[in-house]
Amino acid sequence: MTAPLAPQFDPSEIEGPLYTWWTERGFYHVAADAPGEPYVIQMPPPNVTAVLHAGHGLTYTVQDVLVRFERMRGRKALWVPGTDHAGIATQNVVEKLLAREGKTRFDVGREAFVEHVMNFVRETGGTILDQLKALGASCDWSRTYYTLDPKLSRAVREVFVQLYEKGLIYRGKYIVNWCPRCLTTLSNEEVEKEEQDGSLWHLKYPLEDGSDFIVVATTRPETMLGDTGIAVHPGDERYRGMIGKNVRLPLVDRLVPIVADDAVDATFGSGAVKVTPAHDPTDFDIGRRHGLATIDVMTDDARMSDAVPERFRGLDRYIARKMVVSEFDTLGLLVRIEKHHHAVGHCYRCNTVVEPRLSDQWFVKVTPMAEQANLAYLNGKFRLIPEFHGDVLQRWHENLRDWCISRQLWWGHRIPVWYCDGTGEKRGERREKGGCGRVIVSRETPTQCDKCGSALVQDEDVLDTWFSSWLVPFTSLGWPDRTPDLAAFYPGHTMVTAPEILFLWVSRMIMSGLEFMGEVPFTTIYLHGTVRDTQHRKMSKSLGNGIDPLEVISRYGADAFRYTVVNGMSVGTDLILDPADLETSFASGRYFANKLWNIGRFLLGQLPDGARPFDTIDPNDLRDTDRWILTRAQGAIAESTRHYEGFRLNEATATVYRFIWNDVADWYLEQIKSRLYDKEPGGDVARSVAAHVFDVALRLLHPVMPFITEALWQRLPNHAEGSSIACAAWPVADDALRFPASEATIVAAQELVTGIRTIRADYNVPPGQKLSVWLLDAGEPIKALLLSNPGAMLPLSGSLSIQPTSTPLPASGSVILGDGSTVMVALGDLVDLDRECARLGTEAGKLDKLVAAQEGKLGNDQFVARAPVAVVENEREKLVAWRMQAEALREKRRALGCAN
RNA sequence: GGGCGAAUAGCUCAGCUGGUCAGAGCGCCUGCCUUACACGCAGGAUGUCGGGGGUUCGAGUCCCUCUUCGCCCACCA
């Protein structure tokens, strides 16, 4: 673990071995009886056959940061990993493989197909979990679950049976969403509405008596073959006389009635609606109210069924659409075609246009559960970040329709329902005769009908994938058994995910948690943004604009990936990355990792014999510089902790970044070099302080960059052998280590150094050239610092000598400090009076503007009267300081004899 | 059709409870290969904080309105 640091940072050298070491040592395993307050994150289980993409990279990085942060804060932090069998998605993948051999699942048969999928999952499944390891995910792998595990399957059955017994699961014939490509129903949440430019066809239907026509408007003309009625609004004067009459349906020559129904909007289209109860939810309702027949005009794969005239049979729905329209046209019954913008439902797995279809399915009655969820929200049992999503969720719960949970797939949890044979009307599959028609819903697989002893046939369908994943917050911990894990780790705490699955998954977990555990499964739902490309398009395979996190990791390291992602993502906004330029996209992470590595290399190189433990240092031996960095460290601790706690991870990393790079590296390490190199005394104190603040910095950064911080931390002196930074204590700000006076002194010194550097740059003073510096009316602290310890500034501003003076020097460049004191840098021949006059003039001009504005502000009686005293005082101090600086500048210009 | 979010330097974005909040990183310009780092160091330029109005002593920060993007929801066929 502690080989010397390579001169060149190579993440691939450290990351693999460190991860192995972490898991071997079990740092991320949490036992139920471990001490400490629990903290639990349930990982949204990726699809078992998924491969890591940028979206995963983002969400799992965030989760890992949070769990690492809480672990270091001493909580028994558990991150539960798992995979989802992903019914439709996985079945689709295997079907595609079969298609390459020219076969369908029906050729293979159900049993063999399922076997096929299982083998496929066994071979390729779970790779995403290994990929998570490359990312550094600190999950408790001993708890990895799979939604088709026997344990979880048992829980799924238990839930189904319980809900059935409570009357919350029922079977019914309704219009459902049907994907004609996946050949299954979908829940409303699995349908993605896409706005499209379509057409609205106005069709003429002649009345039975030939006296008149009625015009209907439709977006799906092909469904007219299944029309069984026409509906108009009861109050619509135009059609009042037609209500009750029949229409002779063109093309099919069927008589259908004109009915009056409130559901019709008289202002839309022609005000008359063709009613197709088998293919539209509104029509279904209208049909039911008026006793209209249902005619299913489509087959499973969205071709026209045998219920339509022969010439249409077997035609694809869109071909049939064209044909219907053209026949209406030929008959002179096509009134017009209107452009129409509307939302069309698409399958969330294959993007095929979904067909509303009448079908016998199983549903969960969600309204009672949704009410409980909203009640819990109103009672503050959970919150969402960003907050506005809470309102979105609430409104959603208020308008929920029942959840269709049966899927006509072969891959998934078989529905635990058996029919006493002979009733099996399930999609017309009659088997043996006999049986009593009993429906058995059971936890155990029954062998025969408990009523009549006949053979049983199990429901052919499987359950919606989400019907198992909505339970994982407790089933992953052993439910329905009352396990110690369940007692210790339910309810959990933070749910991190993308808004896309708020309804599909998060809402349902809340409902199931309340229903089966009596408590919401988490207290905070953190919804992060989406990873997009530079054109703000979602990354996707089909667009080819994705970023492969593993490629980034192998090139630049997991830490660079993680840092970039966390740094670039603020609460509620998307993360934009350029797939075409990984090098630039991940530059901030790469650079920072490299910087950290080199800080470590330098510092550790200065500690060949270790360092005195920081707590043995006599505070009197600390110099202003030491006190300054310690003060800054307390600030970094407090600020970053606050940001981590508030989920502002980008702010947290920015805080640590500034502390490490700007404070530790740019100033502190440079300032102590003279001591480290023994050009000055006090090297041991400097080494000790440096080691201490670096230790603090590594801890603060560890949640975001676990590998590099661990690699460096392992090499720090004084760390306990065999311990990991992952379990090291989170730093706590210590007021005893805040030194405001020293901080002020160093801030003044930094101003001075910056001023000197500016002069060097302005006058192109060669780096090696020694400069003399005179202090005119310098403030006491800075004077004391410089005179007592001139060497302290050497590495910062180049070679210089410092002496006090009481008169301005003409041949010099001047720096006006914040307190109005003037520092002059002797430039000899290099000085250019005109240039210096201009330089100082510009400065003076800027200050004069500030002074004028400030005088205006303070001259405003309202401001002085109404603003808090502290604010006014602060503004006055600023004015005084600026005036002094401006005055000093003018004085200097007079001394130089500058023209105006 | 409803609801929501965003608009700040060339790019990607910070700016948490109205008063150093006009910032960071990348990019750009200048000078440095200073024995941790050129993935570096130092210095520097760039913005009427989308437009307009309002509240306030004071507004990127709160309110209204407009414009432009984006997202979510929706049984107007």
Side-chain angles (χ1 to χ4, degrees):
Chain A
M1 283 291 97
T2 52
L5 293 178
Q8 193 59 44
F9 175 53
D10 181 359
S12 63
E13 261 176 44
I14 62 164
E15 293 183 354
L18 277 176
Y19 200 90
T20 306
W21 182 69
W22 285 333
T23 43
E24 276 172 0
R25 298 296 305 267
F27 292 120
Y28 307 135
H29 172 67
V30 195
D33 59 0
E37 192 195 334
Y39 176 76
V40 180
I41 293 184
Q42 286 282 347
M43 172 187 294
N47 289 357
V48 65
T49 59
V51 288
L52 198 71
H53 61 240
H56 293 126
L58 178 137
T59 193
Y60 296 134
T61 296
V62 170
Q63 292 170 47
D64 196 45
V65 169
L66 296 176
V67 82
R68 284 181 183 276
F69 172 60
E70 296 295 349
R71 184 181 294 119
M72 290 178 76
R73 295 224 287 178
R75 292 174 75 172
K76 53 176 183 182
L78 171 63
W79 188 15
V80 184
T83 49
D84 193 304
H85 67 281
I88 308 181
T90 307
Q91 174 160 325
N92 280 353
V93 171
V94 176
E95 283 191 290
K96 263 182 205 158
L97 291 177
L98 278 182
R100 280 189 208 162
E101 301 166 29
K103 290 189 215 160
T104 71
R105 68 176 152 119
F106 301 101
D107 298 332
V108 178
R110 181 162 191 158
E111 259 177 55
F113 180 77
V114 168
E115 184 85 5
H116 223 81
V117 181
M118 280 167 70
N119 289 335
F120 176 75
V121 167
R122 200 171 299 129
E123 282 163 24
T124 65
T127 54
I128 189 162
L129 297 183
D130 288 326
Q131 296 173 326
L132 280 182
K133 292 172 186 168
L135 193 65
S138 62
C139 321
D140 184 349
W141 297 111
S142 72
R143 296 170 184 281
T144 308
Y145 65 84
Y146 173 43
T147 52
L148 273 182
D149 279 343
K151 280 185 182 174
L152 269 70
S153 299
R154 180 180 150 230
V156 164
R157 267 198 189 187
E158 179 65 33
V159 162
F160 188 97
V161 174
Q162 278 195 28
L163 288 178
Y164 181 78
E165 286 170 352
K166 287 178 190 170
L168 292 175
I169 279 186
Y170 65 94
R171 189 163 187 235
K173 200 163 188 164
Y174 296 97
I175 297 286
V176 293
N177 306 294
W178 179 265
C179 174
R181 204 221 60 86
C182 298
L183 301 180
T184 180
T185 52
L186 298 169
S187 67
N188 298 329
E189 294 71 33
E190 290 173 311
V191 175
E192 289 175 350
K193 293 287 180 67
E194 279 175 33
E195 302 231 332
Q196 288 181 349
D197 288 317
S199 303
L200 191 59
W201 286 272
H202 291 250
L203 308 175
K204 250 186 200 176
Y205 287 3
L207 294 187
E208 180 186 12
D209 57 19
S211 64
D212 201 354
F213 295 93
I214 189 163
V215 175
V216 298
T218 180
T219 54
R220 294 185 297 155
E222 70 281 10
T223 63
M224 65 76 53
L225 299 171
D227 283 359
T228 56
I230 307 296
V232 297
H233 191 87
D236 193 334
E237 294 297 336
R238 293 173 292 178
Y239 301 116
R240 180 150 287 176
M242 294 186 182
I243 295 168
K245 289 188 175 176
N246 282 333
V247 150
R248 185 169 296 280
L249 204 57
L251 313 194
V252 291
D253 200 28
R254 183 163 61 232
L255 289 179
V256 303
I258 297 173
V259 301
D261 197 286
D262 287 331
V264 178
D265 175 359
T267 65
F268 183 85
S270 62
V273 189
K274 57 186 272 314
V275 183
T276 322
H279 292 281
D280 185 276
T282 311
D283 292 8
F284 178 73
D285 291 339
I286 296 174
R288 248 207 322 215
R289 283 195 284 272
H290 300 278
L292 303 179
T294 57
I295 300 175
D296 190 342
V297 295
M298 274 186 226
T299 60
D300 285 355
D301 56 350
R303 292 172 183 281
M304 304 318 286
S305 73
D306 291 347
V308 303
E310 203 166 339
R311 62 185 185 282
F312 294 106
R313 282 179 205 164
L315 291 180
D316 176 84
R317 53 184 161 168
Y318 297 120
I319 311 254
R321 176 175 299 177
K322 278 187 187 155
M323 241 175 97
V324 165
V325 171
S326 107
E327 291 198 15
F328 264 82
D329 196 14
T330 309
L331 294 169
L333 297 174
L334 176 62
V335 181
R336 64 197 167 97
I337 304 171
E338 204 179 329
K339 282 208 167 122
H340 186 57
H341 194 73
H342 62 152
V344 179
H346 291 70
C347 171
Y348 81 135
R349 299 277 34 149
C350 71
N351 209 38
T352 302
V353 172
V354 162
E355 202 63 42
R357 192 175 189 220
L358 186 60
S359 180
D360 218 351
Q361 303 292 336
W362 288 93
F363 295 86
V364 174
K365 209 179 275 180
V366 287
T367 312
M369 289 190 271
E371 277 170 13
Q372 290 305 306
N374 266 357
L375 202 61
Y377 178 69
L378 292 173
N379 289 332
K381 300 293 184 194
F382 63 94
R383 62 169 178 155
L384 288 96
I385 297 174
E387 219 171 328
F388 73 85
H389 281 295
D391 301 330
V392 175
L393 190 62
Q394 217 187 336
R395 250 173 292 145
W396 172 260
H397 284 150
E398 283 164 7
N399 298 303
L400 259 187
R401 277 178 294 159
D402 288 351
W403 175 15
C404 176
I405 51 169
S406 41
R407 296 287 175 277
Q408 290 63 52
L409 304 171
W410 289 349
W411 182 238
H413 300 274
R414 192 85 176 257
I415 291 181
V417 173
W418 288 264
Y419 305 97
C420 186
D421 227 344
T423 65
E425 85 274 32
K426 185 68 188 169
R427 290 208 300 284
E429 288 181 23
R430 279 180 168 267
R431 305 226 169 159
E432 307 162 26
K433 295 283 179 192
C436 65
R438 187 168 166 73
V439 176
I440 298 171
V441 178
S442 169
R443 291 170 178 82
E444 306 301 328
T445 302
T447 51
Q448 57 179 52
C449 179
D450 55 355
K451 198 169 163 192
C452 71
S454 299
L456 300 167
V457 61
Q458 187 172 4
D459 196 298
E460 293 290 320
D461 290 350
V462 299
L463 289 161
D464 181 2
T465 291
W466 302 97
F467 194 84
S468 53
S469 52
W470 76 319
L471 309 171
V472 295
F474 45 93
T475 55
S476 68
L477 298 170
W479 191 92
D481 296 330
R482 302 207 146 280
T483 61
D485 277 352
L486 199 59
F489 300 118
Y490 191 95
H493 302 83
T494 313
M495 170 50 57
V496 178
T497 190
E500 289 120 74
I501 55 174
L502 184 59
F503 306 135
L504 221 38
W505 191 51
V506 179
S507 143
R508 287 169 179 162
M509 279 191 290
I510 295 167
M511 296 195 282
S512 73
L514 285 165
E515 184 69 24
F516 297 99
M517 296 295 295
E519 280 179 279
V520 180
F522 27 71
T523 51
T524 302
I525 300 157
Y526 177 76
L527 297 169
H528 55 244
T530 309
V531 187
R532 296 175 185 279
D533 68 10
T534 49
Q535 294 171 57
H536 294 209
R537 298 176 307 180
K538 212 185 256 191
M539 289 189 176
S540 74
K541 257 188 223 166
S542 50
L543 283 174
N545 62 344
I547 282 179
D548 177 4
L550 294 175
E551 188 187 343
V552 176
I553 289 169
S554 71
R555 277 209 235 167
Y556 314 125
D559 290 326
F561 178 87
R562 294 167 58 113
Y563 176 85
T564 302
V565 159
V566 170
N567 186 248
M569 184 209 64
S570 63
V571 176
T573 63
D574 291 334
L575 174 68
I576 312 295
L577 294 170
D578 185 358
D581 189 357
L582 298 182
E583 193 169 323
T584 304
S585 288
F586 292 90
S588 58
R590 280 191 302 129
Y591 291 176
F592 192 33
N594 183 257
K595 184 70 180 180
L596 205 61
W597 186 257
N598 280 294
I599 293 171
R601 231 157 47 89
F602 171 70
L603 181 60
L604 294 168
Q606 299 304 320
L607 306 172
D609 309 315
R612 270 173 61 188
F614 178 67
D615 53 18
T616 68
I617 297 289
D618 181 347
N620 295 315
D621 291 339
L622 294 173
R623 297 200 183 172
D624 281 326
T625 299
D626 305 325
R627 293 194 161 116
W628 169 79
I629 194 66
L630 288 167
T631 306
R632 303 293 292 183
Q634 307 319 304
I637 292 167
E639 201 180 319
S640 65
T641 304
R642 197 166 56 84
H643 288 312
Y644 276 120
E645 283 172 341
F647 298 90
R648 294 179 298 271
L649 304 186
N650 58 324
E651 290 295 310
T653 54
T655 301
V656 182
Y657 178 99
R658 285 191 294 266
F659 175 60
I660 291 177
W661 202 312
N662 302 11
D663 295 342
V664 173
D666 289 348
W667 285 98
Y668 188 66
L669 291 181
E670 294 302 330
Q671 283 200 303
I672 62 171
K673 271 181 177 170
S674 56
R675 279 191 281 166
L676 294 178
Y677 298 156
D678 290 327
K679 291 177 182 167
E680 280 190 274
D684 59 333
V685 172
R687 269 182 272 273
S688 177
V689 172
H692 172 73
V693 296
F694 193 53
D695 182 351
V696 168
L698 291 177
R699 290 180 201 227
L700 296 180
L701 189 59
H702 179 261
V704 180
M705 305 181 91
F707 291 106
I708 193 167
T709 52
E710 178 78 284
L712 295 171
W713 196 76
Q714 289 296 329
R715 292 165 171 85
L716 279 183
N718 312 325
H719 104 274
E721 190 60 37
S723 66
S724 167
I725 191 174
C727 301
W730 189 254
V732 177
D734 181 355
D735 283 342
L737 294 176
R738 290 183 199 263
F739 306 95
S742 296
E743 190 183 21
T745 302
I746 297 302
V747 168
Q750 290 178 339
E751 261 182 70
L752 170 64
V753 169
T754 303
I756 294 170
R757 285 172 178 168
T758 307
I759 287 173
R760 275 188 180 273
D762 281 356
Y763 285 96
N764 292 324
V765 179
Q769 183 167 332
K770 190 166 179 171
L771 293 178
S772 298
V773 172
W774 279 266
L775 303 177
L776 181 68
D777 303 327
E780 279 312 314
I782 188 75
K783 205 190 283 179
L785 176 79
L786 293 178
L787 295 179
S788 70
N789 183 22
M793 291 299 126
L794 278 175
L796 300 176
S797 50
S799 174
L800 46 83
S801 70
I802 293 169
Q803 43 204 299
T805 181
S806 53
T807 49
L809 301 169
S812 66
S814 298
V815 181
I816 311 299
L817 302 185
D819 64 357
S821 56
T822 306
V823 178
M824 282 157 294
V825 180
L827 293 166
D829 296 343
L830 287 169
V831 83
D832 175 340
L833 278 184
D834 290 342
R835 182 176 188 160
E836 184 65 7
C837 282
R839 217 173 64 85
L840 296 175
T842 311
E843 288 299 313
K846 281 185 196 161
L847 276 169
D848 287 342
K849 267 190 193 168
L850 282 174
V851 167
Q854 200 69 357
E855 280 170 346
K857 194 179 213 177
L858 286 162
N860 183 339
D861 295 340
Q862 296 290 333
F863 172 69
V864 179
R866 300 203 187 189
V869 181
V871 171
V872 176
E873 198 44 46
N874 189 21
E875 297 300 311
R876 282 212 173 101
E877 279 170 18
K878 283 199 293 200
L879 176 59
V880 170
W882 289 336
R883 273 181 179 155
M884 272 165 46
Q885 289 171 49
E887 185 47 40
L889 278 165
R890 273 191 288 274
E891 196 174 308
K892 174 70 192 180
R893 295 185 85 233
R894 278 196 294 275
L896 290 176
C898 298
N900 288 327

